[in-house]
Amino acid sequence: MIKKVIVLPDVHIADVCPKDYLPVKKFIKSFKPDEIVLLGDFMDVSSLSAWDYDKKRIMEGKRFKKEIDCANIELDFLQKYAKKITYIMGNHEDRLERYLDKNPEMEGLIEIETILKLKERKIKFVKLNDLYKLGDMYFTHGMYTNIYNARKHLQTLGCNVCYGHQHSTQTAMQNMAMQKPYMAYALGTLGDKKPDYLRNRPGNWINQFAIFYYNDTNGNFNLYPINVIKSKFIWNGKVYGG
C-alpha cells in the first residue's frame, strides 16, 4: 500500500510561527497525509540559548512558556490532519538537555516529551542522531554540515537518508555494480532565513519541505523536495500561499 508523508524540516517555532511554514499548514489541511515527520528543530528553544543567555537585549521578553504554548498549538493542528506524527529531536531541542546538565534539579519537568505531552498524544519521539525508517528511507535530524554533507551522510550511514539541520539542500547518490542505489537528501528549513543572530549576514539557506511516498510492502519510495519562495509554492499545478 502506498503511504503519503509530509516531512517538515527545521520549523524553528518560537513564540510565533515562521511565515513560510503557514502555507504548508494550509497544504497539510487539504493533503491529509498518513504521517508527518518533524525532522528536528521543530522548536527553536531560543529562550534557553546558551549562545545568548548573557545578552540581555537579545533575550529580553523571551519566555520558554510562550514557546511551549505555541508548539503545543501546532501539534494540536497537525494531529487534526495527519493520522500519525513522528517527532525527531534536533540540536535546538537538545538545548533542553544541555540546560538540564547545568540545572539537574529541573529533571523530569522540562524535557520535550513532557512539555509537549508526546506520550499522551501518542507521538513517536526519536532521539538526536537516531534513525527513523519508513520503507527503504531513514530520517534523522542531520549529523554533518561540511560542504559535502550529503556525501558524508551517505558514506557514514550507508543507507537512503533524509535530513535537515544545515538549512540548505543537497543530494548525493551511490550506485555500485550489483547493488541497489542509495541516496542522501538534505532539506532546507521552514524557519526564518534571516534570524537576528546572523546580524544581516547572508545565510546560504532555502525554505523547503518535502512530500514523501513509500510502498509499505516493498519499501520503494519517491521523495519530492518543495521550495517555498516568498511564502508560496506549487504542487500538482496549484499555487499555495500568497
Side-chain angles (χ1 to χ4, degrees), residues 29-83:
K29 192 173 180 178
S30 61
F31 190 71
K32 293 182 175 61
D34 294 298
E35 183 172 353
I36 293 174
V37 175
L38 306 176
L39 206 54
D41 290 358
F42 184 67
M43 290 186 70
D44 193 65
V45 197
S46 57
S47 56
L48 299 183
S49 171
W51 298 99
D52 296 327
Y53 78 95
D54 59 344
K55 300 182 176 84
K56 293 183 178 180
R57 185 170 61 171
I58 291 175
M59 298 297 285
E60 185 178 10
K62 292 186 178 182
R63 296 292 183 270
F64 189 43
K65 175 66 164 56
K66 293 180 181 179
E67 296 188 58
I68 295 170
D69 290 345
C70 191
N72 271 306
I73 288 170
E74 291 313 306
L75 289 179
D76 289 343
F77 173 85
L78 296 177
Q79 287 196 291
K80 284 178 63 177
Y81 300 106
K83 299 174 184 176

Side-chain angles (χ1 to χ4, degrees), residues 3 6 32 100 108 147 158 192 216 232:
K3 301 287 187 178
I6 297 290
K32 293 182 175 61
L100 286 170
I147 189 170
D192 182 4
D216 63 359
K232 297 180 183 179

Side-chain angles (χ1 to χ4, degrees), residues 26-229:
K26 292 182 180 180
F27 175 71
I28 289 170
K29 192 173 180 178
S30 61
F31 190 71
K32 293 182 175 61
D34 294 298
E35 183 172 353
I36 293 174
V37 175
L38 306 176
L39 206 54
D41 290 358
F42 184 67
M43 290 186 70
D44 193 65
V45 197
S46 57
S47 56
L48 299 183
S49 171
W51 298 99
D52 296 327
Y53 78 95
D54 59 344
K55 300 182 176 84
K56 293 183 178 180
R57 185 170 61 171
I58 291 175
M59 298 297 285
E60 185 178 10
K62 292 186 178 182
R63 296 292 183 270
F64 189 43
K65 175 66 164 56
K66 293 180 181 179
E67 296 188 58
I68 295 170
D69 290 345
C70 191
N72 271 306
I73 288 170
E74 291 313 306
L75 289 179
D76 289 343
F77 173 85
L78 296 177
Q79 287 196 291
K80 284 178 63 177
Y81 300 106
K83 299 174 184 176
K84 181 180 178 183
I85 307 287
T86 298
Y87 196 125
I88 297 174
M89 184 180 188
N91 57 294
H92 277 247
E93 284 92 357
D94 192 53
R95 287 176 171 178
L96 284 170
E97 296 300 315
R98 297 196 295 272
Y99 179 85
L100 286 170
D101 288 340
K102 295 180 180 179
N103 303 274
E105 67 277 6
M106 299 295 290
E107 191 172 16
L109 295 174
I110 64 168
E111 289 86 347
I112 285 291
E113 303 101 306
T114 301
I115 62 174
L116 299 182
K117 307 170 188 173
L118 298 186
K119 287 184 179 179
E120 294 94 317
R121 292 177 178 275
K122 297 182 180 179
I123 290 177
K124 181 177 178 63
F125 183 67
V126 181
K127 291 186 177 179
L128 184 67
N129 296 327
D130 280 353
L131 301 176
Y132 175 61
K133 187 172 186 283
L134 290 176
D136 287 338
M137 175 68 82
Y138 290 84
F139 297 87
T140 191
H141 177 57
M143 305 172 188
Y144 309 105
T145 58
N146 57 301
I147 189 170
Y148 300 116
N149 56 81
R151 175 62 60 186
K152 179 69 173 178
H153 279 86
L154 193 62
Q155 291 178 338
T156 303
L157 298 175
C159 61
N160 295 304
V161 61
C162 176
Y163 62 97
H165 185 43
Q166 84 291 317
H167 297 184
S168 61
T169 187
Q170 192 175 118
T171 60
M173 187 198 77
Q174 179 172 298
N175 187 12
M176 300 173 68
M178 305 304 292
Q179 293 185 3
K180 62 191 296 185
Y182 291 104
M183 289 197 69
Y185 301 82
L187 297 180
T189 176
L190 286 174
D192 182 4
K193 290 197 299 180
K194 292 185 177 181
D196 292 339
Y197 63 80
L198 283 183
R199 294 185 178 274
N200 292 322
R201 296 193 306 272
N204 188 30
W205 298 353
I206 186 171
N207 290 125
Q208 198 176 56
F209 72 104
I211 297 170
F212 176 73
Y213 291 96
Y214 74 98
N215 188 321
D216 63 359
T217 302
N218 59 24
N220 290 346
F221 67 85
N222 268 334
L223 184 143
Y224 303 93
I226 308 295
N227 297 333
V228 183
I229 300 173

